[in-house]
Amino acid sequence: MAPPEIHPNTVAVPSGRAGRFAPSPTGPLHVGNLRTALLAWLFARSAGARFLVRVEDLDRSRVRPGIEEAQLADLRAIGLDWDGPVVRQSERMALYEEAIGRLDAEGLLYPCYCSRKEIRAAASAPHGIPAADRYPGTCRELTQTERTEREAAGRWPALRVRAEGSWVSFKDRLMGCQEGDTDDFVVRRNDGAPAYQLAVVVDDADQGIGDVVRGADLVDSTPRQVLLCRMLGLPIPRYAHVPLVLGPDGQRLAKRHGAVTLEARSAHGEGPGGLLAWMARSLGLAEPGEKPGIEDLLARFDPDRLPRGPTVWDPGT
Ligand code: GLU
């Protein structure tokens, strides 16, 4: 049975392109995720745009029960609202399959039988140029006989796109001009699930997302997504990859850094307002000691004045 629909404090829906926050329900949102959500909301609302929440729950092995509800409750607790019902990727399989079918019909996909281990081994071969996370193209030119042999041996293929090193550049609103080449990345995993790169592009286009605002850790995915937009004839959104919150050790924020979620902060006696104030200060939107409301932040928000580098999580400041 589908989980119950959660209707947040819906606001009137202005026309125009939308913004979005797209959490994966694999663990509680930490202050870095919440700050990204806040920024996505501020970008959209300050432009008078709709703001949507999309639950990216395609990786069933990593989805944890109850996390979606907890994430949505945390977003509401810091004052965010969104338009319309929450959309879940697991309920949109037909859309992704349609896009995969179109790419396949154009001859842009091929089956790949490699295991992760084989890809790692090939990528670290002494003469191989590819970086460790880059697909070296092993299955690109397999013959039908070779494919049949692999399938007869019980291997089920993933589908990869023939990107063949396509060079992509795009302008990021915060990080400036970005460019990169793309390897032959997966669009359908070997367990049949559409890959993140494919689903995100299909959804952003289908939902009319004009501005993708997300963490800077995803900037390396963007050339692949821009390429997929082009291959599928979809509009390319504007991108703003926002700075991350790091742990005191300079690493990406995580549970081991202590009380980094709203629930954990509450156990320390700090409510959502306190965390919102920390986020606002870290973004230059509030003074020390001040506890602004979400509407104050909206009134003060100016994308051009956002910090460009990461912030170290330090709840004492
Ligand atoms: N679901 C992704 C995440 O939680 C975000 C995807 C996106 O914003 O494009 O990291």
Side-chain angles (χ1 to χ4, degrees):
M1 204 179 74
E5 195 46 82
I6 298 166
H7 290 280
N9 37 335
T10 314
V11 298
V13 182
S15 59
R17 309 279 289 163
R20 48 66 157 188
F21 181 60
S24 304
T26 54
L29 297 174
H30 58 54
V31 62
N33 307 131
L34 288 169
R35 197 177 78 158
T36 298
L38 171 65
L39 284 167
W41 184 90
L42 288 168
F43 267 94
R45 294 300 193 215
S46 65
R50 289 174 302 138
F51 182 68
L52 311 179
V53 173
R54 181 172 75 228
V55 174
E56 302 209 325
D57 59 351
L58 287 180
D59 191 349
R60 303 310 288 175
S61 62
R62 295 185 58 227
V63 169
R64 284 169 43 201
I67 292 293
E68 174 189 322
E69 291 75 6
Q71 290 182 335
L72 297 178
D74 285 358
L75 296 178
R76 276 197 292 273
I78 61 163
L80 305 192
D81 58 4
W82 51 91
D83 299 306
V86 167
V87 161
R88 287 179 202 86
Q89 290 190 322
S90 57
E91 295 165 3
R92 296 161 64 81
M93 289 300 190
L95 274 180
Y96 312 133
E97 280 307 314
E98 191 269 338
I100 291 170
R102 277 204 285 142
L103 293 171
D104 201 26
E106 303 258 334
L108 292 168
L109 304 182
Y110 64 86
C112 166
Y113 301 86
C114 297
S115 65
R116 275 174 204 269
K117 206 169 146 197
E118 286 164 343
I119 295 171
R120 265 199 308 273
S124 58
H127 306 295
I129 308 149
D133 58 351
R134 157 175 293 271
Y135 183 63
T138 318
C139 291
R140 193 186 295 139
E141 306 303 340
L142 290 185
T143 63
Q144 191 50 50
T145 313
E146 288 168 324
R147 287 176 186 163
T148 311
E149 273 166 17
R150 281 162 178 74
E151 280 170 35
R155 292 214 178 190
W156 195 246
L159 286 178
R160 287 186 185 270
V161 92
R162 286 187 190 279
E164 297 180 7
S166 302
W167 195 261
V168 173
S169 62
F170 65 96
K171 189 162 181 286
D172 188 274
R173 289 176 77 180
L174 297 180
M175 298 175 78
C177 283
Q178 302 287 311
E179 53 182 1
D181 62 343
T182 42
D183 65 344
D184 289 358
F185 55 94
V186 170
V187 292
R188 185 162 74 203
R189 302 177 350 177
N190 68 358
D191 63 2
Y196 157 68
Q197 310 289 359
L198 184 280
V200 81
V201 158
V202 169
D203 282 333
D204 285 339
D206 180 70
Q207 296 186 286
I209 304 297
D211 282 298
V212 168
V213 177
R214 60 186 176 195
D217 52 338
L218 285 168
V219 72
D220 292 342
S221 285
T222 309
R224 293 170 171 185
Q225 294 173 16
V226 170
L227 185 72
L228 270 183
C229 286
R230 285 197 200 137
M231 287 177 164
L232 288 163
L234 301 174
I236 299 170
R238 278 199 303 184
Y239 292 98
H241 289 89
V242 302
L244 300 182
V245 177
L246 304 179
D249 55 0
Q251 300 299 309
R252 202 190 298 182
L253 199 64
K255 204 170 163 187
R256 67 191 152 81
H257 291 119
V260 293
T261 63
L262 208 45
E263 192 186 358
R265 299 305 307 160
S266 301
H268 281 64
E270 183 184 65
L275 201 62
L276 186 66
W278 183 87
M279 292 192 276
R281 281 198 303 278
S282 76
L283 294 168
L285 294 171
E287 297 296 329
E290 193 192 356
K291 277 211 170 173
I294 196 89
E295 294 301 327
D296 300 316
L297 303 189
L298 190 54
R300 295 171 192 177
F301 181 66
D302 176 356
D304 293 336
R305 296 182 61 191
L306 284 175
R308 300 299 156 116
T311 302
V312 174
W313 167 241
D314 175 6
T317 58

